[in-house]
Amino acid sequence: MDRIPSVDLMDFISNDPERKQKFINEIGKAYEEIGFVALKGHFLDDKLVDRLYGEVKKFFDLPIETKRSYEIPGIGGQRGYVSFGKESAKGKKEGDLKEFWHFGQYVEDDKKRRKEYPENVEVKELPEFNKVGKETYRMLEKTAKYVLRALALHLGLEETYFDAYIHNGNSILRPIHYPPIIEEPENAVRAAAHGDINLITLLMGAQGRGLQVQKHDGEWIDAIAEPDELMINVGDMLSRHTNNKLKSTIHRVVNPPRELWGTSRYSIPFFMHPISEMKLDVLDGCVDENNPKQFGDITAGEFLNERLVELGLIKK
């Protein structure tokens, strides 16, 4: 497979059983073989996307002192601003060449859960920033819910298996700014090779070159979406839960050619996380004689904490 397969969510949510099954088969095959798909038919409209990019660019154009005033200590970067070079890939010393923002869950019906998560951070200089962030979060969360329903059916589970785990889940919307490169980076890239922590990731802004995916034979291929597509990949939590039947694929964002060093790049991933109590124990249906259980039992909350320490966002 030398390109990322494209699927259409409208097939799944149509009332046509054949189209629905076609989507389940296509996304299941892609996630077993390469762990990535390009998805059309999602719930984001062009107007919302344009508004979001406008607000995100305005935020990253703010003076560094203003942005740093939104960097909240003691929460592992889970809300608000994370400054340039602070995050590194697992096992890598050099920080990635990026700065980013985190919008988190908007809990409306669970006092206990609201206490568990840090508050979202309001940017007072940009009255529309948080509003458009919340709208986008909701639409991506809705899209992810249907993708997970298709995967549940592919795995032989109830269609709504994931619903209770992702309702008020610890999901994150992360607008990222890769600033212009001013000098030769020493061993650093915009985002070093890594796998994502969560269940699935929905990525806006993969239209230009930069994002690359590592196939199972070790070869890197470009992952470029059409303007109306989201790139969606399997994260480590889902890979673990399915005994690596669904593949969490290593990917990276490489530096542009030298002639494009002076340009910024923006991308906006939505990391779909479950509630912290979800057990990521390997599903019985994913274990057999040829595929013995590969992972120990762990909850999503424990796994997330381990990984945030490895990424340098939480200090031991």
Side-chain angles (χ1 to χ4, degrees):
M1 191 179 284
D2 291 323
R3 58 183 294 280
I4 305 300
S6 181
V7 296
D8 189 340
L9 188 60
M10 288 297 116
D11 287 336
F12 184 74
I13 58 180
S14 72
N15 290 317
D16 180 338
E18 279 186 29
R19 285 179 66 191
K20 184 173 183 177
Q21 191 59 50
K22 173 178 176 277
F23 181 87
I24 294 164
N25 295 345
E26 287 174 347
I27 200 167
K29 182 173 188 283
Y31 281 170
E32 288 189 20
E33 290 182 359
I34 198 164
F36 269 75
V37 293
L39 183 97
K40 296 182 189 299
H42 49 77
F43 295 105
L44 288 179
D45 64 52
D46 292 345
K47 217 177 261 183
L48 179 57
V49 171
D50 289 345
R51 282 170 58 214
L52 179 66
Y53 273 108
E55 290 302 310
V56 162
K57 285 172 183 171
K58 282 184 210 164
F59 174 77
F60 288 118
D61 283 344
L62 290 171
I64 187 62
E65 299 76 23
T66 307
K67 289 186 286 190
R68 283 206 175 125
S69 72
Y70 294 111
E71 197 155 22
I72 313 299
I75 59 168
Q78 290 299 285
R79 300 290 183 276
Y81 179 63
V82 177
S83 52
F84 184 80
K86 205 157 244 191
E87 184 180 73
S88 57
K90 179 180 171 182
K92 197 142 168 52
K93 295 196 306 287
E94 298 81 16
D96 289 342
L97 305 177
K98 67 188 182 195
E99 56 179 343
F100 54 92
W101 180 272
H102 275 160
F103 296 102
Q105 184 59 264
Y106 299 88
V107 180
E108 286 163 2
D109 57 359
D110 186 333
K111 284 182 185 166
K112 175 178 168 283
R113 192 75 58 198
R114 197 179 291 139
K115 277 188 186 168
E116 180 186 338
Y117 300 147
E119 289 283 321
N120 273 301
V121 179
E122 295 283 327
V123 177
K124 57 180 184 293
E125 290 81 1
L126 301 171
E128 289 295 301
F129 180 77
N130 291 84
K131 187 177 162 200
V132 76
K134 182 176 182 178
E135 280 180 55
T136 307
Y137 187 105
R138 288 286 190 233
M139 291 300 100
L140 288 168
E141 190 173 46
K142 183 178 177 183
T143 301
K145 178 172 79 173
Y146 285 102
V147 170
L148 286 171
R149 283 183 176 182
L151 294 177
L153 291 170
H154 174 69
L155 294 164
L157 303 167
E158 284 288 325
E159 181 172 342
T160 54
Y161 169 81
F162 289 103
D163 284 20
Y165 295 125
I166 61 173
H167 177 65
N168 286 330
N170 195 13
S171 300
I172 292 281
L173 177 63
R174 173 190 277 193
I176 303 171
H177 175 222
Y178 302 101
I181 297 169
I182 329 173
E183 56 187 36
E184 185 79 49
E186 216 175 306
N187 296 323
V189 291
R190 284 183 157 175
H194 64 285
D196 292 340
I197 301 170
N198 42 294
L199 291 172
I200 55 174
T201 300
L202 291 72
L203 176 68
M204 303 166 61
Q207 279 81 54
R209 286 187 183 277
L211 177 65
Q212 294 186 331
V213 174
Q214 190 173 39
K215 297 194 318 183
H216 303 308
D217 62 6
E219 183 194 350
W220 289 94
I221 60 170
D222 288 324
I224 302 174
E226 295 296 323
D228 63 341
E229 291 178 328
L230 298 172
M231 200 61 79
I232 307 188
N233 62 280
V234 175
D236 291 348
M237 287 184 183
L238 187 57
S239 181
R240 187 180 185 113
H241 198 37
T242 63
N243 206 32
N244 210 27
K245 180 181 172 75
L246 304 182
K247 305 281 192 294
S248 175
T249 305
I250 298 296
H251 52 286
R252 66 188 181 187
V253 180
V254 295
N255 297 333
R258 190 177 279 269
E259 62 270 20
L260 295 176
W261 276 13
T263 58
S264 281
R265 185 178 194 273
Y266 297 89
S267 71
I268 307 178
F270 177 78
F271 300 112
M272 169 58 87
H273 280 265
I275 55 175
S276 55
E277 305 94 291
M278 180 184 180
K279 290 184 167 146
L280 300 178
D281 308 2
V282 170
L283 290 163
D284 291 341
C286 296
V287 178
D288 58 35
E289 280 180 24
N290 299 321
N291 301 287
K293 183 177 173 182
Q294 297 181 48
F295 304 102
D297 298 347
I298 196 169
T299 66
E302 289 163 347
F303 185 66
L304 174 61
N305 195 66
E306 273 183 19
R307 290 294 296 276
L308 291 176
V309 170
E310 289 168 349
L311 294 175
L313 289 173
I314 288 180
K315 304 298 174 198
K316 275 186 179 174

